[in-house]
Amino acid sequence: AFGALKIKNKGGTGMHWKVAAVNSLDYNDRRFYTAVHKGAQNFSRGPDTAPLPPPPLYTWTSQQQLSKLSSFFAAGTTVDDDAAPVHLSPPFYFYGLEVSGMNISSNGLLSFDPDYKPGLDWGGVLGTSSMPNGVVAPYWDDLTCSENRGCQVMVGMQARQNATSLTGACGAAQYMAVQFQNFRLIGTGSQGKLSCEVRLYTDGCIEFLYKETPDDGMWWTSVGLENMQGGAGQDVSSSLPFSEGQPFGVMFVPSVSLTGTNTSKSAAGNLSVAEASELRLHVEGPKSRQSWLTVHAEDPKSSWVSERRVRVAQVVFSAAWHTEPWGPCRRASCEQAG
């Protein structure tokens, strides 16, 4: 469902505003994202349960549209338990919080944690307070990357996707692409390689795309998300079709997505006196839920600061009817229509 929030400057000077946070009504992040992939099902029952949209179509961003992350090999041609920082512009909303930077780890994950330290993430569990937190994990395991064997990381901002690849309303915004190419598992003897792509959409949607995966992996591999505090996580590794040996995709759909204003694609802006802007958003998910939007505003000198919280509700409902033979026609219009 789509909606909009009107933001107006009723003060006597210019104003800068932004969405500072999006939270579930009970501040519980465990249901913030819904994973959509081949074979995914709704395990809840009841009249307020909606069917999941179809899984995303597998696509792969062309290397000609991306840039090699040369800083990834700053310590040498073989990378093990290391990472490279990347700035995000425009910012990305992760579990409803704006983030503008991340670390890309050689162990198959991205971390938005400002306290992230390389070398401590060779293995882990999603949904714990242990470091790192703020994790996007397309294939979190003990991996290595050798430039001499064709391994590399490619990054770049891309325009919105073709409408045929959308999952519900997800996938319609521009995105940051991160490609892990030709990574290998350590200590397994596997000949298979990992090549996967992460897409961070500016409206908060997250997509994993798998081109190739190790043939004997998944023993300790984590696939999914973890919030910034580490208390909530989602690991979908056991339900994904890795064993089929075919490329596939996974979309993580946030309960609230911010699609920008009527004048820009950002959930922020500047307003002169009496000027207004319309923030567009969509809510999506298999269950009825409510969320908070926290809108932060301040004047150009930050001499005053104000925040407003707006509640957004999504109500899932179903309609049903019974078909049976029509009774006698009681109106002339009915007879004329046959």
Side-chain angles (χ1 to χ4, degrees):
F2 292 85
L5 176 65
K6 186 176 182 180
I7 301 169
K8 186 173 183 178
N9 182 2
K10 292 187 174 182
T13 185
M15 179 185 84
H16 173 74
W17 69 272
K18 70 175 182 178
V19 176
V22 180
N23 301 104
S24 299
L25 190 66
D26 58 358
Y27 295 95
N28 185 345
D29 283 341
R30 286 181 174 83
R31 293 185 177 181
F32 194 89
Y33 288 93
T34 300
V36 180
H37 54 84
K38 181 181 179 180
Q41 297 178 2
N42 290 339
F43 293 103
S44 55
R45 296 291 185 268
D48 62 340
T49 301
L52 294 178
L57 298 176
Y58 170 80
T59 56
W60 188 258
T61 304
S62 170
Q63 288 194 27
Q64 284 70 34
Q65 298 176 293
L66 303 175
S67 299
K68 184 177 179 179
L69 186 61
S70 56
S71 60
F72 194 71
F73 296 99
T77 58
T78 298
V79 181
D80 182 19
D81 294 335
D82 207 347
V86 172
H87 178 68
L88 293 172
S89 180
F92 174 70
Y93 280 90
F94 184 60
Y95 280 97
L97 298 176
E98 184 182 87
V99 293
S100 57
M102 64 180 176
N103 280 278
I104 302 177
S105 169
S106 63
N107 288 317
L109 64 91
L110 318 176
S111 176
F112 302 114
D113 190 342
D115 297 322
Y116 173 85
K117 293 180 176 58
L120 304 177
D121 61 356
W122 54 269
V125 178
L126 295 168
T128 68
S129 58
S130 59
M131 302 288 283
N133 301 130
V135 170
V136 172
Y139 204 95
W140 186 4
D141 209 323
D142 194 7
L143 302 172
T144 184
C145 179
S146 175
E147 192 173 24
N148 296 330
R149 302 178 73 177
C151 183
Q152 60 184 353
V153 175
M154 307 289 288
V155 297
M157 285 298 299
Q158 300 297 306
R160 66 170 54 202
Q161 283 288 71
N162 189 297
T164 58
S165 66
L166 303 186
T167 299
C170 265
Q174 60 179 329
Y175 64 91
M176 164 65 82
V178 179
Q179 284 186 358
F180 296 84
Q181 296 184 8
N182 299 320
F183 280 65
R184 296 177 184 271
L185 282 168
I186 290 180
T188 65
S190 171
Q191 298 302 310
K193 297 173 290 185
L194 170 68
S195 294
C196 64
E197 179 176 331
V198 179
R199 294 178 180 176
L200 304 175
Y201 291 90
T202 53
D203 60 5
C205 300
I206 301 172
E207 188 173 16
F208 297 167
L209 298 156
Y210 296 93
K211 186 176 185 179
E212 183 180 11
T213 56
D215 51 17
D216 63 350
M218 306 308 297
W219 289 103
W220 308 107
T221 307
S222 295
V223 177
L225 311 175
E226 180 183 273
N227 70 352
M228 297 297 286
Q229 296 77 31
Q234 185 177 10
D235 190 338
V236 297
S237 57
S238 62
S239 59
L240 298 181
F242 286 107
S243 61
E244 296 181 7
Q246 298 296 322
F248 67 94
V250 183
M251 185 75 83
F252 292 89
V253 182
S255 55
V256 178
S257 296
L258 307 176
T259 56
T261 69
N262 52 323
T263 58
S264 75
K265 297 179 180 179
S266 174
N270 297 299
L271 297 175
S272 57
V273 177
E275 188 181 7
S277 185
E278 184 179 86
L279 174 64
R280 297 169 180 172
L281 54 90
H282 71 260
V283 294
E284 194 167 354
K287 295 286 290 182
S288 297
R289 67 183 76 188
Q290 299 184 62
S291 304
W292 291 113
L293 264 65
T294 302
V295 182
H296 174 97
E298 60 185 44
D299 72 332
K301 296 182 179 180
S302 299
S303 58
W304 63 263
V305 175
S306 179
E307 286 190 346
R308 296 288 187 270
R309 287 180 174 84
V310 180
R311 186 168 66 172
V312 178
Q314 175 199 9
V315 179
V316 177
F317 61 91
S318 59
W321 58 89
H322 298 282
T323 59
E324 59 185 30
W326 289 100
C329 211
R330 297 171 182 261
R331 295 185 180 180
S333 60
C334 175
E335 292 185 0
Q336 291 173 4

